[in-house]
Amino acid sequence: GAVVSQHPSWVICKSGTSVKIECRSLDFQATTMFWYRQFPKQSLMLMATSNEGSKATYEQGVEKDKFLINHASLTLSTLTVTSAHPEDSSFYICSEGSNTEAFFGQGTRLTVV
Amino acid sequence: QKEVEQNSGPLSVPEGAIASLNCTYSDRGSQSFFWYRQYSGKSPELIMSIYSNGDKEDGRFTAQLNKASQYVSLLIRDSQPSDSATYLCAVDTGRRALTFGSGTRLQVQP
């Protein structure tokens, strides 16, 4: 299966600061990557679709100016949580979208204090 | 109505028993169906995929799909304590991004 590497695995930041999460495809070129968010005891919810070389597509209710997605190369997509607040604390997970069977990154546990 | 529905559990089975996990979905056009296992604090891990009606077996796992009833299930034979986790049903409605159920927590009692 495809290998997707996500970094960092956890981060604690102060309220009002920004945090960048990286998602790398290690063994293939990913024109599309997906970003999900998972709150405690809830399921994964799609936040946005990251498209290489073009703007990301955001799901309804997800603020595009708050969650900045950059997919500048075929192997790297980044999600930046800007002006983070405690309610943004969650588990963020990326996956590649070029194959039918999605493989996920390791996830990033974000805690905003 | 949720797009993908699962019983949240917990489903408790004794070691060595068969665990049966169920999932229903609302989009009749869905073509691809997946079961993921998620341990607490970890990312989901793909267990099974199924695309056509019927059964698909892989080791101790069997996925069953009934598109007419919009129903997917996962059977785990000879359940082990290490199988204790949350099992997520996921459906690809054609977008390639997955729609997940809320997950069923499985507890295998030693």
Side-chain angles (χ1 to χ4, degrees):
Chain A
V3 179
V4 179
S5 177
Q6 187 173 342
H7 177 83
S9 57
W10 62 271
V11 59
I12 301 173
C13 71
K14 290 185 177 180
S15 187
T17 61
S18 296
V19 172
K20 180 184 284 188
I21 303 169
E22 294 187 349
C23 183
R24 293 182 183 274
S25 58
L26 300 183
D27 59 354
F28 70 99
Q29 295 180 328
T31 56
T32 302
M33 300 186 90
F34 300 110
W35 287 95
Y36 296 84
R37 178 168 57 183
Q38 185 178 35
F39 291 108
K41 299 194 184 300
Q42 296 185 26
S43 193
L44 282 76
M45 296 297 293
L46 179 67
M47 297 178 66
T49 301
S50 172
N51 303 300
E52 187 269 336
S54 65
K55 290 183 179 180
T57 304
Y58 291 82
E59 295 300 296
Q60 190 174 8
V62 178
E63 300 175 56
K64 64 177 190 245
D65 295 329
K66 181 172 180 62
F67 298 98
L68 302 180
I69 290 175
N70 185 284
H71 195 154
S73 77
L74 288 170
T75 59
L76 175 64
S77 175
T78 61
L79 169 68
T80 301
V81 184
T82 63
S83 187
H85 291 285
E87 57 265 31
D88 298 324
S89 299
S90 188
F91 192 48
Y92 293 85
I93 312 173
C94 66
S95 79
E96 55 80 21
S98 57
N99 297 316
T100 303
E101 299 180 355
F103 293 90
F104 290 87
Q106 300 93 322
T108 299
R109 173 73 59 193
L110 171 63
T111 302
V112 184
V113 298
Chain B
Q1 181 189 5
K2 291 183 181 178
E3 293 186 59
V4 180
E5 295 211 42
Q6 294 180 257
N7 189 317
S8 61
L11 172 66
S12 185
V13 300
E15 184 175 356
I18 296 175
S20 178
L21 304 163
N22 303 314
C23 171
T24 58
Y25 61 94
S26 61
D27 188 336
R28 280 199 172 273
S30 301
Q31 295 296 317
S32 307
F33 308 87
F34 307 91
W35 283 98
Y36 286 85
R37 177 174 61 196
Q38 187 177 29
Y39 294 110
S40 181
K42 301 295 184 181
S43 196
E45 171 193 8
L46 182 66
I47 298 296
M48 292 281 288
S49 60
I50 188 165
Y51 306 102
S52 55
N53 282 327
D55 295 359
K56 179 181 178 183
E57 186 175 320
D58 184 0
R60 294 188 296 114
F61 300 96
T62 298
Q64 299 173 318
L65 174 61
N66 184 325
K67 290 186 178 180
S69 300
Q70 296 174 242
Y71 175 90
V72 192
S73 68
L74 179 70
L75 299 178
I76 306 175
R77 288 180 298 281
D78 188 24
S79 296
Q80 301 297 309
S82 59
D83 294 327
S84 298
T86 296
Y87 288 79
L88 301 172
C89 174
V91 175
D92 180 357
T93 59
R95 301 177 57 191
R96 289 187 297 155
L98 297 179
T99 301
F100 285 85
S102 55
T104 298
R105 189 157 61 94
L106 173 65
Q107 296 177 339
V108 181
Q109 307 295 336

